[in-house]
Amino acid sequence: MTSRSKIGRTGNHPDLLAGLIFIVVGALGLWGGRDLRMGSAAMMGPGYLPLIVSGLIVLIGLGVTIMGLLRSNEPLEVVRLRPLLIILLAIAGFAYAAGSLGFIIAVAWLIGVGSLADPETRLREVAASIVVLTIFGILVFILGLGVQMQLGPF
Amino acid sequence: MEFLDSLILGFSTAATPTNLLFCLIGALLGTLIGVLPGIGPTATLAILLPITFFLPPLAALIMLAGIFYGAQYGGSTTAILVNLPGEASSVVTALDGYQMAKQGRAGAALAIAALGSFFAGTVSTIGLAVAGPTLASFALDFGPAEYFSLTVFGLLCATILASGSVIKAIGMIGIGLLLGWVGTDVNSGSERLTFGAVELFDGIEFVVIAVGLFGIAEIITNLESPETRGLIATKITRLWPTREDFRKAWPAVLRGTGLGTFLGILPGGGATLSAFSAYTLEKKVSRRPQEFGRGAIQGVAGPEAANNAGAQSSFIPLLTLGIPSNAVMAMLLGAMTIHGITPGPSVMHNQPDLFWGLIASMWIGNLMLLVINLPLIGLWVKLLTVPYRLLYPAILLFCCVGVYSVSNRAFDVALAVGFGFLGYLFRKAKCEPGPLLLGFVLGPLLETNLRRAMLISQGSPTVFIERPISLVLLLASLALFILLLVPAIRKTREDAFVEEEA
């Protein structure tokens, strides 16, 4: 199951990544909750559980990292930046456009840019998708379900 | 008599034209998306969840339950016809189902899967209707200490039954808890973990996390691997199974139903565990185990019955105790909360029409699936030939508009981008997002009950061991935890999941 690659001969890379995520999230929790009052066990302050849990997550992260270093080599699954970046960019653009430019531009951006994530996509198909999905979206979401979003920028 | 009255109440609530319509729409939509390979019931629910916010609570729940069963059914269709299980619970169906399809018996496999699921669904609906009130009246005596211990027990069970590393699953629960606490603290009014962002003062929307972690991350991961869809083996010529098929299948369906109903009740259980256990059981009791993997109809009938029974009975802990047992139930809990319903023992007493209506609609939903699935199989198969590059933009649109529509805020969509990225990282790090979702949903409950219990006991933790139910639950949690540290058991668990991935 594990395909061996030349890069990264040591360590279990998924574990190392997991450890890193846990440490970062736990640290964020500790930092974000640094001003919260702990309180006592009888009268728990708002910071009581969040700070304890954040601390535990950091510890778990350290544990997972150490175990990842000791365990046998396992590289990360293939990471392709193209779908990752394009999809995230498409949705972020939708978020921006939804607030100011209206539904039609938001959908056109989402579908137009999002379609580029698959290299096999053809221009004509993208254009057709935009038209069909925009009309579908207006009928179902805006008119049918009453989602409150302007259609255009005005 | 009371049982009959309840059922009559349920059916009269569920069988109104509107509710029937939403049940049908849910079942159809669920099947539609469930048939698409790579999108399982959890992602399907996450994507379609926002649509139901516009409905009255019961109609919304009925539709969601329909989507859930529909996605399960759709998954079996793909598993049998193209050897691509849409979700974990139909992995085992693909083993023998696809072989049957290759031998030209796809019709029989699909029919047995549908009939077995319907039978299992009927039995476990009755089980839910019978067991529900007893459990709920038992749970009415629960105080904060019991609820705290129950939540801990539920979270631990979910860890154990999640595949992959236990310590990672616990970490994921922790992250979920933290996310659940973001926002204004009810007791003190202080902002917690908001990093000063006003948009976060009300907490993070459940849908944002669900769509990000399950929907968006799933699309990105699917796009990474080139499309690998097997061709449909043969034309489906004969749908109805032979007499011989029935003779072989019905004992497997009975066993699968029993096993699935039982396993579904366990926290962390549900469809996947049920399906795997049923397959192993069938192989064990069979006189010719060598037939398995080569098109044994029992290998389709048992797991399919079990996963449907398990899916159904996993509603029991949610509806009676208010504790979701897996990620799908966490979604439904999220949906209920958004509609202002707090699931738990009081629902049955305060809103009997809602409780019984939902139960009755489950049976109706199963019946509808049977009726719409068999004749429409040709249509679903056609859907499989639509390339992913045409489908995913539509799914993206559903995700985005869905997230936006929850509170008409563009901020939520931007936040979903972050969760999509995080979900992608989790996949690469081999961390299952299910426990995170459970932690998120149960975090506030856990904290409220802990605070209350400790306040009552004036800070003495003995309150949790003085009360017998709480003590039993905590001891059970401890036992589970110790069991996990026993190497032999850990090994069996790992083996079980390796088999699953194979």
Side-chain angles (χ1 to χ4, degrees):
Chain A
M1 204 177 72
T2 4
S3 59
R4 314 236 161 224
S5 72
K6 295 261 181 208
I7 354 156
R9 281 186 183 278
T10 50
N12 178 298
H13 291 195
D15 274 5
L16 293 179
L17 177 60
L20 182 71
I21 299 175
F22 288 148
I23 293 172
V24 169
V25 173
L28 269 175
L30 286 176
W31 185 68
R34 68 192 181 285
D35 294 332
L36 294 175
R37 202 169 46 81
M38 277 290 270
S40 67
M43 291 287 287
M44 289 183 194
Y48 197 84
L49 281 179
L51 290 172
I52 290 180
V53 170
S54 301
L56 281 175
I57 296 175
V58 172
L59 288 181
I60 288 177
L62 291 173
V64 172
T65 309
I66 293 169
M67 272 165 36
L69 286 172
L70 297 177
R71 278 177 62 188
S72 56
N73 165 283
E74 187 189 336
L76 275 190
E77 266 170 38
V78 62
V79 174
R80 284 183 213 283
L81 285 180
R82 177 172 172 152
L84 175 68
L85 295 179
I86 290 181
I87 295 291
L88 294 183
L89 181 71
I91 302 173
F94 179 91
Y96 173 75
S100 49
L101 301 173
F103 187 78
I104 295 172
I105 295 177
V107 173
W109 169 274
L110 179 73
I111 309 299
V113 174
S115 292
L116 301 176
D118 190 328
E120 281 172 37
T121 299
R122 284 148 224 173
L123 202 60
R124 208 183 289 172
E125 286 174 1
V126 180
S129 291
I130 291 178
V131 174
V132 172
L133 288 174
T134 307
I135 295 172
F136 170 86
I138 292 175
L139 290 179
V140 172
F141 295 122
I142 308 281
L143 299 177
L145 294 173
V147 174
Q148 284 161 31
M149 201 191 295
Q150 297 167 292
L151 286 182
F154 310 107
Chain B
M1 265 329 278
E2 205 193 322
F3 173 69
L4 263 184
D5 288 342
S6 308
L7 275 190
I8 293 170
L9 171 68
F11 275 99
S12 59
T13 334
T16 63
T18 343
N19 287 339
L20 282 177
L21 178 70
F22 284 115
C23 188
L24 180 69
I25 295 178
L28 278 175
L29 273 180
T31 315
L32 184 80
I33 300 201
V35 161
L36 309 175
I39 303 175
T42 328
T44 309
L45 272 175
I47 295 166
L48 297 179
L49 198 54
I51 304 182
T52 63
F53 295 158
F54 300 92
L55 303 175
L58 179 62
L61 288 178
I62 287 178
M63 188 168 149
L64 286 170
I67 292 173
F68 174 40
Y69 302 135
Q72 295 267 0
Y73 265 73
S76 326
T77 308
T78 342
I80 291 171
L81 291 178
V82 284
N83 201 18
L84 272 183
E87 75 275 336
S89 64
S90 46
V91 168
V92 281
T93 308
L95 296 179
D96 280 284
Y98 185 60
Q99 292 302 321
M100 285 182 73
K102 270 169 104 180
Q103 294 157 16
R105 291 163 65 218
L110 290 165
I112 285 291
L115 291 168
S117 300
F118 175 66
F119 175 79
T122 309
V123 171
S124 56
T125 302
I126 297 173
L128 175 50
V130 173
T134 326
L135 255 176
S137 57
F138 176 66
L140 277 178
D141 299 330
F142 276 26
E146 280 86 357
Y147 260 107
F148 172 78
S149 305
L150 181 67
T151 316
V152 170
F153 178 67
L155 284 174
L156 260 179
C157 286
T159 325
I160 284 158
L161 296 165
S163 64
S165 133
V166 176
I167 181 169
K168 280 186 196 171
I170 295 180
M172 293 296 275
I173 291 180
I175 297 184
L177 291 172
L178 279 189
L179 290 169
W181 290 327
V182 171
T184 311
D185 174 35
V186 209
N187 290 45
S188 63
S190 35
E191 311 307 336
R192 303 198 290 179
L193 309 172
T194 55
F195 299 93
V198 188
E199 289 90 347
L200 288 177
F201 283 9
D202 283 337
I204 302 173
E205 286 286 350
F206 173 81
V207 174
V208 173
I209 294 191
V211 168
L213 290 185
F214 291 93
I216 297 175
E218 191 135 341
I219 296 175
I220 300 174
T221 328
N222 283 343
L223 283 170
E224 277 191 338
S225 47
E227 240 173 300
T228 45
R229 273 187 214 171
L231 289 169
I232 290 111
T234 38
K235 275 217 154 113
I236 304 160
T237 40
R238 187 193 156 94
L239 195 59
W240 205 245
T242 61
R243 192 180 286 264
E244 172 73 6
D245 287 336
F246 275 121
R247 194 184 58 73
K248 278 186 179 168
W250 76 262
V253 168
L254 282 185
R255 282 189 291 265
T257 305
L259 192 65
T261 307
F262 173 69
L263 290 177
I265 303 176
L266 295 183
T272 310
L273 180 73
S274 306
F276 279 91
S277 315
Y279 192 78
T280 320
L281 179 70
E282 286 313 311
K283 219 167 156 179
K284 283 230 167 84
V285 299
S286 168
R287 252 176 271 152
R288 268 173 273 160
Q290 69 274 16
E291 280 179 8
F292 280 80
R294 297 198 186 127
I297 195 156
Q298 300 95 314
V300 176
E304 279 297 308
N307 84 29
N308 212 40
Q312 200 103 327
S313 63
S314 58
F315 275 91
I316 295 178
L318 175 69
L319 290 178
T320 58
L321 305 173
I323 301 288
S325 52
N326 51 43
V328 170
M329 292 303 129
M331 299 269 183
L332 286 166
L333 178 86
M336 289 173 116
T337 318
I338 290 168
H339 281 289
I341 308 161
T342 318
S346 52
V347 171
M348 200 181 303
H349 293 262
N350 301 343
Q351 290 159 293
D353 50 329
L354 188 97
F355 179 86
W356 293 103
L358 180 60
I359 290 185
S361 83
M362 290 178 184
W363 187 79
I364 299 176
N366 272 291
L367 182 67
M368 281 183 178
L369 282 167
L370 184 68
V371 176
I372 56 181
N373 262 282
L374 292 179
L376 288 183
I377 268 176
L379 181 76
W380 304 133
V381 172
K382 278 233 175 59
L383 196 72
L384 278 172
T385 56
V386 178
Y388 194 66
R389 64 169 194 275
L390 292 181
L391 288 173
Y392 82 86
I395 303 173
L396 265 185
L397 179 67
F398 265 85
C399 289
C400 290
V401 180
V403 168
Y404 176 87
S405 68
V406 179
S407 38
N408 292 320
R409 289 203 308 183
F411 175 80
D412 286 340
V413 185
L415 204 56
V417 174
F419 280 106
F421 181 60
L422 195 62
Y424 175 83
L425 287 183
F426 282 145
R427 270 154 210 256
K428 294 294 164 192
K430 300 211 158 69
C431 294
E432 255 190 87
L436 185 154
L437 202 62
L438 277 184
F440 175 74
V441 176
L442 291 176
L445 194 70
L446 188 82
E447 186 184 33
T448 316
N449 286 309
L450 179 66
R451 274 182 173 180
R452 267 188 214 150
M454 294 298 266
L455 192 66
I456 296 167
S457 76
Q458 296 178 324
S460 158
T462 47
V463 63
F464 297 107
I465 46 178
E466 273 163 2
R467 303 183 60 119
I469 300 173
S470 167
L471 178 66
V472 169
L473 287 166
L474 283 182
L475 285 178
S477 312
L478 190 69
L480 278 177
F481 198 72
I482 293 171
L483 274 180
L484 270 175
L485 302 176
V486 178
I489 292 171
R490 207 162 57 198
K491 175 112 186 24
T492 343
R493 179 175 169 275
E494 272 161 19
D495 287 349
F497 286 119
V498 167
E499 196 176 336
E500 173 179 339
E501 278 160 17

